[in-house]
Amino acid sequence: MIQILYTNDSSYNKRMMDDASEFTRQEDFYHSPQKRQRKVINSSGMIITSLLLIIAICIVILMGLGSWNMTSKAMSQEDAIIGQLPNFDSNIKQSITQTAMAIDSSILKDAQVAEKKVVVEKAIASDGKAYDTVAYLSIPSLGIKYPVLAKTSEALLKVSLNKYWGPNPNQVGNMCIVGHNYNDSRFFGKLNQIKMGAEIIITEMDGEALSYYVYETDMIDPYDTTCTSQKTNGRKEITLITCNYDGSQRFIAKARANE
C-alpha cells in the first residue's frame, strides 16, 4: 500500500499524487503478466486433466465392449455345442430303468466284478413256438424242470416260468422267478410243498449250472414286493414266486448259493 503525506503546498500534493498513480500503474504492469501466466497454466492443467479423464473413460468403455463381445461369442459357441448333444434325459431314464431291473447297486461288494453277459436262446414250448430263454430251473425233490423265459407278461406266464426281476442267472443279487400255480401241478403248482434246505438248480443256456438251497418260505400279501429286494450282501440268491389257489396271497421260496 502507498501512503501519501499531505502538506499545505497544493502543488506539492498534486505532484505526489501523480507520482503515486504512476507507481501504481508500474506495479500492475510488473505483476499482471504473472497472474495471467498462472491463469494460463491453471487452464492448461485443467484441459490436460480433462483429456486424460476422457481417454481413460474411452479405454474402459472399449474394454467393456470387448469383454461383452467375447462373452457373447463364448455363450453362442456353448449353445451350439449343447445343441449338438444327444437327449440325455431319455438316455438317463432308460439307464436308470435298466439298472433298477438288473440289480441294486447296494448289493455289490467293494471289489466289483463285471457281470457275465447273459446268453439268451430260443426254447421250444409245448405250443410249438420258440421263446427267448435265459436259463432252466429244476427242483429235483419236486420233479420240477422248466425253462425261464427272458421276460414277464400275462401271455408268457401261460407258456412257462418267467424272469420277473433282478440280475441275470447265477449273478450277484436276487433273481426273482415267477410262475403260475395250476391245479394240475404244472409250473409252480407244487412249489408250496418245498422243504427247507431243498436244492434248486439254475442252469444257464451255455450249460453252466449253480445250486441254491432254500433258507426261507413264506405266504405274503399279493402287493408285498419286499421279497424282490436286491440287498443280498454280495450273495447270489433266487426267489420263486407263485400264488395260492384263489390268488388272495403269494407263496415265496428264497434260496441262496453256497459259494
Side-chain angles (χ1 to χ4, degrees), residues 149 151-160 162-163 178 180:
L149 305 186
K151 298 179 180 179
T152 302
S153 70
E154 288 296 328
L156 292 176
L157 282 170
K158 296 177 181 179
V159 176
S160 186
N162 292 182
K163 176 186 174 182
V178 64
H180 274 316

Side-chain angles (χ1 to χ4, degrees), residues 181 192 216-222 224 242-246 248-253:
N181 177 7
N192 60 356
E216 179 185 343
T217 61
D218 198 5
M219 195 72 74
I220 63 173
D221 185 89
D224 185 355
T242 191
C243 59
N244 62 355
Y245 291 127
D246 61 7
S248 61
Q249 288 185 302
R250 298 284 183 267
F251 177 81
I252 65 168

Side-chain angles (χ1 to χ4, degrees), residues 10 16 20 24 31 44 80 85 105 114 117 139 147 151-152 160 189 191 194 219 228 233 241 243 250:
S10 59
M16 292 297 295
T24 301
H31 290 280
S44 300
L85 294 176
S105 60
K117 183 177 180 180
I139 307 175
K151 298 179 180 179
T152 302
S160 186
L191 184 63
I194 199 166
M219 195 72 74
T228 65
N233 196 26
I241 307 170
C243 59
R250 298 284 183 267

Side-chain angles (χ1 to χ4, degrees), residues 14-26:
K14 183 177 183 303
R15 188 168 60 254
M16 292 297 295
M17 288 292 295
D18 291 341
D19 291 341
S21 297
E22 180 64 22
F23 179 82
T24 301
R25 283 195 299 273
Q26 290 178 359

Side-chain angles (χ1 to χ4, degrees), residues 1-232:
M1 177 180 291
I2 300 173
Q3 294 182 352
I4 300 174
L5 299 177
Y6 291 92
T7 64
N8 294 325
D9 187 351
S10 59
S11 60
Y12 173 81
N13 291 339
K14 183 177 183 303
R15 188 168 60 254
M16 292 297 295
M17 288 292 295
D18 291 341
D19 291 341
S21 297
E22 180 64 22
F23 179 82
T24 301
R25 283 195 299 273
Q26 290 178 359
E27 186 179 35
D28 290 342
F29 173 80
Y30 288 118
H31 290 280
S32 293
Q34 294 179 1
K35 293 180 180 179
R36 284 199 298 272
Q37 186 177 8
R38 290 195 188 99
K39 289 182 180 180
V40 171
I41 293 173
N42 290 338
S43 298
S44 300
M46 291 180 64
I47 292 172
I48 293 172
T49 302
S50 300
L51 288 174
L52 291 174
L53 181 61
I54 292 172
I55 291 171
I57 293 173
C58 291
I59 291 173
V60 171
I61 292 174
L62 290 174
M63 290 178 65
L65 289 174
S67 176
W68 183 84
N69 288 334
M70 291 177 66
T71 302
S72 300
K73 185 177 180 181
M75 291 177 65
S76 299
Q77 291 176 348
E78 183 179 359
D79 291 339
I81 293 173
I82 292 175
Q84 296 173 359
L85 294 176
N87 186 350
F88 281 107
D89 289 342
S90 61
N91 293 339
I92 290 173
K93 290 178 181 177
Q94 183 179 4
S95 176
I96 291 173
T97 301
Q98 291 174 347
T99 302
M101 293 185 65
I103 187 171
D104 289 351
S105 60
S106 59
I107 70 170
L108 300 180
K109 294 181 178 180
D110 293 337
Q112 183 176 358
V113 179
E115 185 176 350
K116 176 183 175 182
K117 183 177 180 180
V118 63
V119 177
V120 179
E121 292 185 359
K122 298 289 185 181
I124 306 300
S126 58
D127 60 5
K129 296 181 180 179
Y131 296 90
D132 287 341
T133 305
V134 294
Y136 282 89
L137 177 145
S138 65
I139 307 175
S141 62
L142 299 178
I144 292 176
K145 185 175 183 179
Y146 288 100
V148 180
L149 305 186
K151 298 179 180 179
T152 302
S153 70
E154 288 296 328
L156 292 176
L157 282 170
K158 296 177 181 179
V159 176
S160 186
L161 307 181
N162 292 182
K163 176 186 174 182
Y164 175 67
W165 195 262
N168 294 327
N170 299 334
Q171 298 298 311
V172 172
N174 176 23
M175 181 181 179
C176 303
I177 301 172
V178 64
H180 274 316
N181 177 7
Y182 288 119
N183 290 331
D184 58 7
S185 298
R186 284 182 299 154
F187 305 152
F188 281 160
K190 296 186 293 183
L191 184 63
N192 60 356
Q193 301 174 22
I194 199 166
K195 304 297 183 181
M196 296 292 292
E199 182 185 26
I200 303 172
I201 304 171
I202 301 293
T203 304
E204 300 173 52
M205 301 309 291
D206 61 2
E208 185 174 344
L210 184 62
S211 293
Y212 298 76
Y213 298 91
V214 177
Y215 70 89
E216 179 185 343
T217 61
D218 198 5
M219 195 72 74
I220 63 173
D221 185 89
Y223 300 104
D224 185 355
T225 60
T226 55
C227 65
T228 65
S229 171
Q230 298 299 309
K231 296 180 180 180
T232 64

